[in-house]
Amino acid sequence: TLQRIVSNLANKNGEIHNFIDMLNHTIKNVQVNSSNAISELDEEFDGLYSILDEMKGSMANAIQQEEARKIQALQDQLSQCSNALESSEELLELAAQSLDIKDPVEFFKVENMEWMVTVASAFRISLKPTVSDSMTHLMVDFALERRMLQAVNFLPVPKAPEIDLSACLVADNCITVSWRMPEDDSRIDHFVLEYRKTNFDGLPRVKDEQHWELIDYIKATEYTLSGLKFDTKYMNLRVQACNKAVAGDYSDPVTLETKAFVFSLDSTSSHLNLKVEDTYVEWDPTGGKGQEKVKGKENKSRSGAPSPKRTSVNTRSSARSSRDHFTGESYTVLGDTAVESGQHYWEVRAQKDCKSYSVGVTYRNMGKFDQLGKTNSSWCIHINNWLQTAISAKHNNRTKTLDIPVPDRIGIYCDFDGGQLAFYNANSKQLLHTFRTKFTQPLLPGFMIWCGGLTVSTGLQVPSAVKTLQKSENGLSGSTSSLNNIA
């Protein structure tokens, strides 16, 4: 007991030593950061002084220019008055001399004297200054600026934003988040959005939570997260406002529902000639050697092209689970999660060298030699690239050729309760084919491939374009393939 107590005390002493070191380090950091803050303060005030000096020089220059303009105008007027006065004095002297002539004959010889006096420039010149001596129009009132400068203080910590839940939108694997500030703050420089996935509704839980993902330097009060994989039920989001100095508190987190169909490929269900990794399956011709032919189970494509060579079970089978896997020419792998209700959507992309593949759904009772679309419990789209590219819909060993281009990606939409299985061009959302039936058992995604590989995208919401097409198609239920009536 004493040894345990001594050990605990030694550990506690070590913790205290570490804490003392951290405190000393923090003190040094406070000193350094304080010095840096003072330096930054000096720079800001020096910049302010520089702006004031520049403004003072500019405004003083404007006063001097106004002074020069007015003086020039007054000097021009002074010069005009001086010239007029000089001319008037000469005219006045001439007129006075004329008045001293006593001889009438000589007096009348002085012609136009009266007219010359009448039009003298002294009568035409203005005796009012052209400009005033006032300079009050160039005076400044710094009362407002003085109050603003007196109010200058350290930047306040921004308040926490408020997320507007009614304006948030979840659609097409995108989340649009909208928020507002509780009061106007012109000093906000940007916002930071954080989000994380969770399986809990309501406030975030500390236990078993994923770390926050961060989106920085958002200038608007709205942001759209796009290209998300909805592999959990919910997503927590929170926002904080930042000015140039400090970040404020986070908003109250909100939780948005992000349910989607998520599954992986079940390697325990796959054919030995398929290499399966989570959401990728690839044809593997080295899966086995010397497998005996199974009579009656040979499958040749309807185009007459031979199927790839079959291979045998090898030692890898011992690593498989007890569940029976596909064999023969049923080069199939299933998803590990069943559809039992609701509406779901996933996509498949084939490699360019993929020669033949099928994508669809099946009940769990699919036999190990069965192929998608060749039983009454499986539905699929089949693409054949052996001799010429063709696409067809298959169910219950019946085939309907579809006169449409083969898309790069195929979207699969399953409405279990509504009894619909639809295939789309995942890029353009063009409808390729729709099966209508009443599903009586849970459905597993199914994939069948000869040569090449398939990539499956899960965690996708039903696209809004698909929802729109489904609404319009529901009014045209009689326009789908006759294969729908076989179920």
Side-chain angles (χ1 to χ4, degrees):
T1 301
L2 181 60
Q3 286 178 345
R4 179 172 53 80
I5 295 173
V6 169
S7 176
N8 291 338
L9 181 59
N11 291 335
K12 179 58 68 175
N13 288 346
E15 292 176 2
I16 294 174
H17 278 297
N18 292 335
F19 184 64
I20 290 173
D21 291 340
M22 185 193 73
L23 289 177
N24 288 326
H25 183 67
T26 303
I27 290 172
K28 291 180 181 178
N29 284 344
V30 168
Q31 293 171 340
V32 171
N33 292 337
S34 177
S35 241
N36 292 339
I38 291 175
S39 298
E40 292 176 359
L41 186 66
D42 287 339
E43 290 180 5
E44 290 292 336
F45 272 91
D46 287 343
L48 187 60
Y49 297 150
S50 175
I51 292 173
L52 289 173
D53 286 339
E54 184 178 348
M55 290 179 63
K56 178 182 177 182
S58 175
M59 297 175 79
N61 185 52
I63 293 174
Q64 291 170 353
Q65 289 179 355
E66 181 69 2
E67 175 191 11
R69 184 188 71 82
K70 285 194 170 187
I71 289 176
Q72 183 63 47
L74 292 171
Q75 284 179 343
D76 290 343
Q77 192 176 17
L78 179 61
S79 177
Q80 292 175 2
C81 289
S82 297
N83 292 335
L85 181 60
E86 182 180 354
S87 174
S88 179
E89 287 177 346
E90 290 178 356
L91 185 59
L92 184 61
E93 183 180 354
L94 181 60
Q97 291 174 0
S98 299
L99 289 174
D100 290 339
I101 299 175
K102 304 299 184 181
D103 186 359
V105 177
E106 292 296 328
F107 181 79
F108 284 110
K109 288 182 179 181
V110 183
E111 297 179 356
N112 300 324
M113 179 57 65
E114 183 181 358
W115 176 82
M116 291 174 63
V117 173
T118 303
V119 299
S121 58
F123 293 115
R124 292 181 284 109
I125 196 167
S126 173
L127 298 181
K128 181 180 179 181
T130 56
V131 295
S132 75
D133 59 353
S134 174
M135 298 290 283
T136 56
H137 64 290
L138 292 177
M139 300 300 291
V140 293
D141 179 10
F142 283 117
L144 176 61
E145 289 74 10
R146 187 176 291 106
R147 288 196 296 270
M148 292 176 62
L149 287 173
Q150 289 172 343
V152 168
N153 206 333
F154 297 107
L155 284 172
V157 177
K159 294 184 179 295
E162 299 173 352
I163 296 180
D164 185 1
L165 196 57
S166 63
C168 296
L169 178 65
V170 179
D172 297 325
N173 284 78
C174 297
I175 293 179
T176 298
V177 190
S178 180
W179 60 89
R180 56 178 174 265
M181 294 299 295
E183 59 186 43
D184 290 338
D185 188 348
S186 60
R187 300 188 181 189
I188 297 298
D189 181 69
H190 65 276
F191 296 93
V192 176
L193 170 66
E194 290 191 345
Y195 65 95
R196 65 180 175 186
K197 298 176 180 179
T198 177
N199 282 315
F200 301 106
D201 190 7
L203 295 176
R205 314 284 179 87
V206 176
K207 186 179 179 181
D208 299 328
E209 286 289 357
Q210 299 187 26
H211 67 279
W212 290 99
E213 301 286 344
L214 184 144
I215 306 294
D216 205 351
Y217 295 104
I218 302 172
K219 294 296 185 179
T221 56
E222 183 178 278
Y223 190 82
T224 299
L225 296 164
S226 59
L228 299 173
K229 182 177 181 181
F230 288 169
D231 49 3
T232 49
K233 295 180 181 179
Y234 305 97
M235 187 173 290
N236 300 136
L237 303 112
R238 63 184 186 182
V239 183
Q240 68 177 164
C242 307
N243 55 33
K244 292 184 177 180
V246 66
D249 293 333
Y250 280 99
S251 65
D252 291 334
V254 299
T255 302
L256 300 179
E257 184 175 340
T258 57
K259 292 181 181 179
F261 184 46
V262 181
F263 66 90
S264 297
L265 299 179
D266 185 4
S267 60
T268 64
S269 72
S270 71
H271 194 284
L272 287 175
N273 285 93
L274 301 181
K275 183 165 66 174
V276 178
E277 296 178 2
D278 194 18
T279 56
Y280 178 74
V281 56
E282 182 179 287
W283 166 260
D284 181 11
T286 64
K289 297 179 181 179
Q291 181 182 9
E292 294 183 1
K293 273 191 175 181
V294 182
K295 293 184 179 180
K297 298 300 178 183
E298 290 185 355
N299 175 40
K300 295 184 179 180
S301 64
R302 292 193 176 272
S303 62
S307 297
K309 183 178 177 181
R310 289 172 300 197
T311 51
S312 65
V313 177
N314 64 4
T315 55
R316 290 190 301 170
S317 61
S318 60
R320 302 265 185 171
S321 71
S322 59
R323 177 178 176 177
D324 289 339
H325 53 262
F326 292 98
T327 188
E329 292 190 350
S330 180
Y331 303 104
T332 303
V333 62
L334 302 178
D336 62 359
T337 304
V339 174
E340 299 183 18
S341 63
Q343 302 177 38
H344 306 284
Y345 179 83
W346 61 97
E347 294 180 355
V348 178
R349 180 192 293 272
Q351 290 181 343
K352 292 183 178 179
D353 61 348
C354 193
K355 297 299 182 182
S356 184
Y357 61 95
S358 300
V359 295
V361 296
T362 179
Y363 292 155
R364 295 182 187 273
N365 61 2
M366 191 172 177
K368 65 172 63 178
F369 295 104
D370 292 337
Q371 297 182 13
L372 286 174
K374 291 203 168 187
T375 67
N376 63 356
S377 60
S378 63
W379 301 258
C380 74
I381 286 286
H382 176 72
I383 290 86
N384 188 345
N385 288 324
W386 283 105
L387 296 179
Q388 59 183 1
T389 302
I391 182 171
S392 57
K394 291 186 175 183
H395 170 64
N396 201 19
N397 207 24
R398 298 285 299 275
T399 301
K400 176 184 171 78
T401 301
L402 306 178
D403 187 17
I404 51 176
V406 177
D408 294 333
R409 287 187 300 134
I410 296 177
I412 300 94
Y413 165 78
C414 179
D415 180 1
F416 188 91
D417 302 318
Q420 288 190 57
L421 178 69
F423 299 85
Y424 292 86
N425 181 324
N427 295 320
S428 65
K429 300 301 183 289
Q430 175 193 2
L431 179 63
L432 306 178
H433 184 77
T434 300
F435 291 105
R436 291 181 180 273
T437 186
K438 181 179 180 181
F439 298 119
T440 58
Q441 300 178 36
L443 296 169
L444 288 171
F447 310 88
M448 197 169 168
I449 183 171
W450 295 270
C451 296
L454 296 176
T455 300
V456 183
S457 298
T458 69
L460 304 178
Q461 285 189 314
V462 179
S464 54
V466 169
K467 292 181 180 179
T468 302
L469 285 173
Q470 282 299 318
K471 288 181 181 178
S472 61
E473 189 191 3
N474 287 337
L476 302 171
S477 58
S479 64
T480 53
S481 168
S482 60
L483 291 174
N484 304 327
N485 303 320
I486 301 174

